[in-house]
mmCIF file of all heavy atoms in Angstrom:
data_model
loop_
_atom_site.group_PDB
_atom_site.id
_atom_site.type_symbol
_atom_site.label_atom_id
_atom_site.label_comp_id
_atom_site.label_asym_id
_atom_site.label_seq_id
_atom_site.Cartn_x
_atom_site.Cartn_y
_atom_site.Cartn_z
ATOM 1 N N ALA A 41 3.078 -9.677 8.467
ATOM 2 C CA ALA A 41 2.348 -8.414 8.612
ATOM 3 C C ALA A 41 1.409 -8.190 7.431
ATOM 4 O O ALA A 41 0.276 -7.757 7.587
ATOM 5 C CB ALA A 41 3.320 -7.254 8.741
ATOM 6 N N LYS A 42 1.881 -8.520 6.228
ATOM 7 C CA LYS A 42 1.074 -8.305 5.026
ATOM 8 C C LYS A 42 -0.197 -9.152 5.050
ATOM 9 O O LYS A 42 -1.216 -8.763 4.526
ATOM 10 C CB LYS A 42 1.893 -8.621 3.771
ATOM 11 C CG LYS A 42 2.810 -7.467 3.404
ATOM 12 C CD LYS A 42 3.713 -7.815 2.252
ATOM 13 C CE LYS A 42 4.596 -6.618 1.914
ATOM 14 N NZ LYS A 42 5.665 -6.965 0.982
ATOM 15 N N SER A 44 -1.917 -9.789 7.638
ATOM 16 C CA SER A 44 -2.861 -9.376 8.675
ATOM 17 C C SER A 44 -3.410 -7.958 8.452
ATOM 18 O O SER A 44 -3.961 -7.355 9.360
ATOM 19 C CB SER A 44 -2.201 -9.483 10.047
ATOM 20 O OG SER A 44 -1.100 -8.613 10.102
ATOM 21 N N GLN A 45 -3.244 -7.445 7.243
ATOM 22 C CA GLN A 45 -3.769 -6.109 6.948
ATOM 23 C C GLN A 45 -5.238 -6.193 6.543
ATOM 24 O O GLN A 45 -5.726 -7.247 6.128
ATOM 25 C CB GLN A 45 -2.971 -5.459 5.821
ATOM 26 C CG GLN A 45 -1.494 -5.328 6.088
ATOM 27 C CD GLN A 45 -1.191 -4.563 7.362
ATOM 28 O OE1 GLN A 45 -1.639 -3.438 7.541
ATOM 29 N NE2 GLN A 45 -0.443 -5.181 8.262
ATOM 30 N N GLN A 46 -5.940 -5.084 6.698
ATOM 31 C CA GLN A 46 -7.304 -4.982 6.188
ATOM 32 C C GLN A 46 -7.358 -3.732 5.335
ATOM 33 O O GLN A 46 -7.648 -2.641 5.798
ATOM 34 C CB GLN A 46 -8.304 -4.867 7.333
ATOM 35 C CG GLN A 46 -8.515 -6.188 8.036
ATOM 36 C CD GLN A 46 -9.561 -6.063 9.111
ATOM 37 O OE1 GLN A 46 -9.380 -5.341 10.087
ATOM 38 N NE2 GLN A 46 -10.669 -6.750 8.936
ATOM 39 N N ILE A 47 -7.045 -3.932 4.074
ATOM 40 C CA ILE A 47 -6.862 -2.805 3.172
ATOM 41 C C ILE A 47 -8.151 -2.472 2.431
ATOM 42 O O ILE A 47 -8.873 -3.365 2.013
ATOM 43 C CB ILE A 47 -5.739 -3.140 2.156
ATOM 44 C CG1 ILE A 47 -4.435 -3.437 2.906
ATOM 45 C CG2 ILE A 47 -5.565 -2.018 1.143
ATOM 46 C CD1 ILE A 47 -3.335 -3.999 2.032
ATOM 47 N N THR A 48 -8.413 -1.206 2.310
ATOM 48 C CA THR A 48 -9.548 -0.754 1.501
ATOM 49 C C THR A 48 -9.028 0.169 0.399
ATOM 50 O O THR A 48 -8.226 1.058 0.663
ATOM 51 C CB THR A 48 -10.574 0.020 2.361
ATOM 52 O OG1 THR A 48 -10.940 -0.795 3.464
ATOM 53 C CG2 THR A 48 -11.811 0.363 1.561
ATOM 54 N N ILE A 49 -9.480 -0.093 -0.809
ATOM 55 C CA ILE A 49 -9.134 0.791 -1.925
ATOM 56 C C ILE A 49 -10.411 1.495 -2.370
ATOM 57 O O ILE A 49 -11.443 0.848 -2.549
ATOM 58 C CB ILE A 49 -8.558 0.007 -3.130
ATOM 59 C CG1 ILE A 49 -7.433 -0.928 -2.680
ATOM 60 C CG2 ILE A 49 -8.040 0.966 -4.201
ATOM 61 C CD1 ILE A 49 -6.980 -1.876 -3.799
ATOM 62 N N VAL A 62 -7.471 6.037 -3.228
ATOM 63 C CA VAL A 62 -6.955 6.015 -1.861
ATOM 64 C C VAL A 62 -6.850 4.577 -1.368
ATOM 65 O O VAL A 62 -7.749 3.771 -1.581
ATOM 66 C CB VAL A 62 -7.866 6.850 -0.920
ATOM 67 C CG1 VAL A 62 -7.502 6.621 0.542
ATOM 68 C CG2 VAL A 62 -7.765 8.322 -1.261
ATOM 69 N N VAL A 63 -5.699 4.271 -0.762
ATOM 70 C CA VAL A 63 -5.497 2.963 -0.147
ATOM 71 C C VAL A 63 -5.416 3.205 1.352
ATOM 72 O O VAL A 63 -4.563 3.956 1.820
ATOM 73 C CB VAL A 63 -4.172 2.329 -0.635
ATOM 74 C CG1 VAL A 63 -3.984 0.939 -0.022
ATOM 75 C CG2 VAL A 63 -4.130 2.254 -2.162
ATOM 76 N N GLU A 64 -6.319 2.599 2.117
ATOM 77 C CA GLU A 64 -6.240 2.806 3.559
ATOM 78 C C GLU A 64 -6.398 1.503 4.323
ATOM 79 O O GLU A 64 -6.714 0.467 3.759
ATOM 80 C CB GLU A 64 -7.254 3.850 4.016
ATOM 81 C CG GLU A 64 -8.687 3.462 3.829
ATOM 82 C CD GLU A 64 -9.635 4.427 4.540
ATOM 83 O OE1 GLU A 64 -9.343 5.623 4.601
ATOM 84 O OE2 GLU A 64 -10.679 3.958 5.012
ATOM 85 N N GLY A 65 -6.121 1.584 5.625
ATOM 86 C CA GLY A 65 -6.246 0.400 6.470
ATOM 87 C C GLY A 65 -4.926 -0.310 6.678
ATOM 88 O O GLY A 65 -4.876 -1.374 7.285
ATOM 89 N N ILE A 66 -3.848 0.275 6.194
ATOM 90 C CA ILE A 66 -2.541 -0.345 6.365
ATOM 91 C C ILE A 66 -1.958 0.045 7.721
ATOM 92 O O ILE A 66 -1.976 1.219 8.091
ATOM 93 C CB ILE A 66 -1.598 0.062 5.212
ATOM 94 C CG1 ILE A 66 -2.099 -0.570 3.916
ATOM 95 C CG2 ILE A 66 -0.162 -0.362 5.501
ATOM 96 C CD1 ILE A 66 -1.456 -0.037 2.668
ATOM 97 N N ASP A 67 -1.489 -0.953 8.452
ATOM 98 C CA ASP A 67 -0.881 -0.692 9.746
ATOM 99 C C ASP A 67 0.542 -0.178 9.546
ATOM 100 O O ASP A 67 1.443 -0.920 9.185
ATOM 101 C CB ASP A 67 -0.866 -1.978 10.577
ATOM 102 C CG ASP A 67 -0.389 -1.727 11.998
ATOM 103 O OD1 ASP A 67 0.210 -0.655 12.255
ATOM 104 O OD2 ASP A 67 -0.604 -2.599 12.849
ATOM 105 N N THR A 68 0.722 1.112 9.801
ATOM 106 C CA THR A 68 2.024 1.729 9.519
ATOM 107 C C THR A 68 3.104 1.318 10.515
ATOM 108 O O THR A 68 4.272 1.601 10.304
ATOM 109 C CB THR A 68 1.907 3.266 9.503
ATOM 110 O OG1 THR A 68 1.295 3.679 10.722
ATOM 111 C CG2 THR A 68 1.065 3.728 8.335
ATOM 112 N N LYS A 69 2.710 0.651 11.597
ATOM 113 C CA LYS A 69 3.728 0.118 12.511
ATOM 114 C C LYS A 69 4.372 -1.120 11.906
ATOM 115 O O LYS A 69 5.488 -1.482 12.228
ATOM 116 C CB LYS A 69 3.101 -0.243 13.860
ATOM 117 C CG LYS A 69 2.725 0.959 14.674
ATOM 118 C CD LYS A 69 2.347 0.511 16.103
ATOM 119 C CE LYS A 69 1.408 1.497 16.752
ATOM 120 N NZ LYS A 69 -0.013 1.181 16.453
ATOM 121 N N GLN A 70 3.626 -1.790 11.033
ATOM 122 C CA GLN A 70 4.123 -3.036 10.450
ATOM 123 C C GLN A 70 4.630 -2.862 9.022
ATOM 124 O O GLN A 70 5.504 -3.581 8.570
ATOM 125 C CB GLN A 70 3.001 -4.078 10.446
ATOM 126 C CG GLN A 70 2.534 -4.450 11.841
ATOM 127 C CD GLN A 70 1.373 -5.421 11.802
ATOM 128 O OE1 GLN A 70 0.423 -5.222 11.072
ATOM 129 N NE2 GLN A 70 1.471 -6.482 12.576
ATOM 130 N N ILE A 71 4.031 -1.938 8.305
ATOM 131 C CA ILE A 71 4.372 -1.761 6.890
ATOM 132 C C ILE A 71 4.966 -0.373 6.685
ATOM 133 O O ILE A 71 4.444 0.614 7.206
ATOM 134 C CB ILE A 71 3.098 -1.906 6.007
ATOM 135 C CG1 ILE A 71 2.374 -3.232 6.280
ATOM 136 C CG2 ILE A 71 3.428 -1.735 4.527
ATOM 137 C CD1 ILE A 71 3.038 -4.472 5.750
ATOM 138 N N ASP A 72 6.025 -0.314 5.922
ATOM 139 C CA ASP A 72 6.660 0.960 5.600
ATOM 140 C C ASP A 72 5.855 1.662 4.493
ATOM 141 O O ASP A 72 5.959 1.331 3.324
ATOM 142 C CB ASP A 72 8.102 0.689 5.132
ATOM 143 C CG ASP A 72 8.867 1.979 4.881
ATOM 144 O OD1 ASP A 72 8.235 3.060 4.842
ATOM 145 O OD2 ASP A 72 10.090 1.899 4.720
ATOM 146 N N LEU A 73 5.039 2.606 4.929
ATOM 147 C CA LEU A 73 4.114 3.252 3.996
ATOM 148 C C LEU A 73 4.834 4.119 2.963
ATOM 149 O O LEU A 73 4.395 4.237 1.819
ATOM 150 C CB LEU A 73 3.109 4.100 4.782
ATOM 151 C CG LEU A 73 1.746 4.309 4.132
ATOM 152 C CD1 LEU A 73 1.049 2.993 3.875
ATOM 153 C CD2 LEU A 73 0.867 5.201 4.986
ATOM 154 N N LYS A 74 5.934 4.688 3.381
ATOM 155 C CA LYS A 74 6.714 5.517 2.469
ATOM 156 C C LYS A 74 7.227 4.672 1.297
ATOM 157 O O LYS A 74 7.115 5.047 0.130
ATOM 158 C CB LYS A 74 7.895 6.123 3.233
ATOM 159 C CG LYS A 74 8.644 7.161 2.448
ATOM 160 C CD LYS A 74 9.827 7.686 3.246
ATOM 161 C CE LYS A 74 10.685 8.580 2.392
ATOM 162 N NZ LYS A 74 11.921 8.966 3.080
ATOM 163 N N LEU A 76 6.017 1.738 0.370
ATOM 164 C CA LEU A 76 4.873 1.230 -0.394
ATOM 165 C C LEU A 76 4.354 2.286 -1.375
ATOM 166 O O LEU A 76 4.074 1.987 -2.538
ATOM 167 C CB LEU A 76 3.751 0.811 0.567
ATOM 168 C CG LEU A 76 2.510 0.209 -0.083
ATOM 169 C CD1 LEU A 76 2.830 -1.130 -0.721
ATOM 170 C CD2 LEU A 76 1.393 0.042 0.933
ATOM 171 N N THR A 77 4.261 3.521 -0.913
ATOM 172 C CA THR A 77 3.808 4.613 -1.777
ATOM 173 C C THR A 77 4.740 4.765 -2.973
ATOM 174 O O THR A 77 4.294 4.895 -4.117
ATOM 175 C CB THR A 77 3.761 5.948 -0.984
ATOM 176 O OG1 THR A 77 2.950 5.762 0.172
ATOM 177 C CG2 THR A 77 3.181 7.067 -1.828
ATOM 178 N N LEU A 80 4.153 1.876 -5.437
ATOM 179 C CA LEU A 80 2.899 2.019 -6.180
ATOM 180 C C LEU A 80 3.008 3.131 -7.219
ATOM 181 O O LEU A 80 2.536 2.998 -8.346
ATOM 182 C CB LEU A 80 1.734 2.296 -5.223
ATOM 183 C CG LEU A 80 1.266 1.104 -4.379
ATOM 184 C CD1 LEU A 80 0.244 1.552 -3.343
ATOM 185 C CD2 LEU A 80 0.680 0.001 -5.247
ATOM 186 N N LYS A 91 -0.200 9.890 3.965
ATOM 187 C CA LYS A 91 -0.464 10.702 5.141
ATOM 188 C C LYS A 91 -1.421 9.953 6.048
ATOM 189 O O LYS A 91 -2.360 9.327 5.555
ATOM 190 C CB LYS A 91 -1.095 12.027 4.697
ATOM 191 C CG LYS A 91 -0.843 13.181 5.650
ATOM 192 C CD LYS A 91 -1.412 14.460 5.081
ATOM 193 C CE LYS A 91 -2.571 14.962 5.905
ATOM 194 N NZ LYS A 91 -3.213 16.146 5.315
ATOM 195 N N ASP A 92 -1.206 10.000 7.334
ATOM 196 C CA ASP A 92 -2.110 9.388 8.317
ATOM 197 C C ASP A 92 -2.517 7.961 7.954
ATOM 198 O O ASP A 92 -3.701 7.615 8.009
ATOM 199 C CB ASP A 92 -3.389 10.236 8.466
ATOM 200 C CG ASP A 92 -3.078 11.686 8.799
ATOM 201 O OD1 ASP A 92 -2.079 11.925 9.511
ATOM 202 O OD2 ASP A 92 -3.821 12.577 8.354
ATOM 203 N N GLY A 93 -1.570 7.167 7.526
ATOM 204 C CA GLY A 93 -1.885 5.777 7.215
ATOM 205 C C GLY A 93 -2.611 5.559 5.906
ATOM 206 O O GLY A 93 -3.111 4.489 5.642
ATOM 207 N N LYS A 94 -2.696 6.599 5.091
ATOM 208 C CA LYS A 94 -3.368 6.472 3.807
ATOM 209 C C LYS A 94 -2.403 6.796 2.675
ATOM 210 O O LYS A 94 -1.594 7.711 2.785
ATOM 211 C CB LYS A 94 -4.515 7.478 3.694
ATOM 212 C CG LYS A 94 -5.733 7.106 4.454
ATOM 213 C CD LYS A 94 -6.812 8.122 4.127
ATOM 214 C CE LYS A 94 -7.901 8.095 5.181
ATOM 215 N NZ LYS A 94 -8.879 9.171 4.957
ATOM 216 N N VAL A 95 -2.553 6.056 1.583
ATOM 217 C CA VAL A 95 -1.815 6.386 0.378
ATOM 218 C C VAL A 95 -2.818 6.982 -0.601
ATOM 219 O O VAL A 95 -3.883 6.420 -0.817
ATOM 220 C CB VAL A 95 -1.177 5.128 -0.263
ATOM 221 C CG1 VAL A 95 -0.416 5.498 -1.528
ATOM 222 C CG2 VAL A 95 -0.249 4.434 0.721
ATOM 223 N N VAL A 105 -4.247 -0.998 -8.707
ATOM 224 C CA VAL A 105 -3.660 -0.944 -7.363
ATOM 225 C C VAL A 105 -3.850 -2.284 -6.662
ATOM 226 O O VAL A 105 -2.940 -2.804 -6.034
ATOM 227 C CB VAL A 105 -4.289 0.196 -6.519
ATOM 228 C CG1 VAL A 105 -3.913 0.087 -5.046
ATOM 229 C CG2 VAL A 105 -3.845 1.556 -7.057
ATOM 230 N N LEU A 109 -0.798 -4.548 -5.327
ATOM 231 C CA LEU A 109 -0.681 -4.910 -3.911
ATOM 232 C C LEU A 109 -0.532 -6.425 -3.765
ATOM 233 O O LEU A 109 0.241 -6.907 -2.946
ATOM 234 C CB LEU A 109 -1.902 -4.419 -3.123
ATOM 235 C CG LEU A 109 -1.988 -2.912 -2.870
ATOM 236 C CD1 LEU A 109 -3.334 -2.548 -2.252
ATOM 237 C CD2 LEU A 109 -0.863 -2.423 -1.965
ATOM 238 N N LEU A 112 2.874 -7.363 -4.545
ATOM 239 C CA LEU A 112 3.790 -6.989 -3.464
ATOM 240 C C LEU A 112 3.671 -7.913 -2.253
ATOM 241 O O LEU A 112 4.383 -7.747 -1.269
ATOM 242 C CB LEU A 112 3.533 -5.546 -3.037
ATOM 243 C CG LEU A 112 3.955 -4.463 -4.026
ATOM 244 C CD1 LEU A 112 3.422 -3.110 -3.593
ATOM 245 C CD2 LEU A 112 5.471 -4.400 -4.147
ATOM 246 N N PHE A 114 0.563 -8.805 -0.606
ATOM 247 C CA PHE A 114 -0.660 -8.716 0.198
ATOM 248 C C PHE A 114 -1.667 -9.711 -0.366
ATOM 249 O O PHE A 114 -2.024 -9.612 -1.535
ATOM 250 C CB PHE A 114 -1.231 -7.295 0.158
ATOM 251 C CG PHE A 114 -0.351 -6.246 0.787
ATOM 252 C CD1 PHE A 114 0.545 -5.523 0.007
ATOM 253 C CD2 PHE A 114 -0.400 -6.007 2.148
ATOM 254 C CE1 PHE A 114 1.375 -4.565 0.586
ATOM 255 C CE2 PHE A 114 0.422 -5.052 2.731
ATOM 256 C CZ PHE A 114 1.306 -4.340 1.956
ATOM 257 N N THR A 118 -7.122 -9.799 1.910
ATOM 258 C CA THR A 118 -6.913 -8.655 2.798
ATOM 259 C C THR A 118 -7.302 -7.335 2.126
ATOM 260 O O THR A 118 -7.243 -6.288 2.745
ATOM 261 C CB THR A 118 -5.434 -8.532 3.247
ATOM 262 O OG1 THR A 118 -4.618 -8.250 2.102
ATOM 263 C CG2 THR A 118 -4.933 -9.807 3.900
ATOM 264 N N ILE A 119 -7.657 -7.421 0.847
ATOM 265 C CA ILE A 119 -7.913 -6.193 0.081
ATOM 266 C C ILE A 119 -9.383 -6.091 -0.310
ATOM 267 O O ILE A 119 -9.920 -6.959 -0.980
ATOM 268 C CB ILE A 119 -7.046 -6.140 -1.190
ATOM 269 C CG1 ILE A 119 -5.567 -6.356 -0.843
ATOM 270 C CG2 ILE A 119 -7.246 -4.814 -1.921
ATOM 271 C CD1 ILE A 119 -4.686 -6.638 -2.054
#
Side-chain angles (χ1 to χ4, degrees):
K42 280 175 179 169
S44 62
Q45 302 304 305
Q46 285 183 296
I47 301 170
T48 306
I49 310 171
V62 169
V63 182
E64 65 169 35
I66 292 168
D67 187 344
T68 53
K69 288 190 206 88
Q70 297 177 313
I71 306 287
D72 184 348
L73 207 59
K74 189 182 172 187
L76 182 67
T77 305
L80 287 172
K91 207 176 113 185
D92 306 326
K94 283 186 199 174
V95 180
V105 168
L109 287 172
L112 289 170
F114 295 93
T118 65
I119 307 167

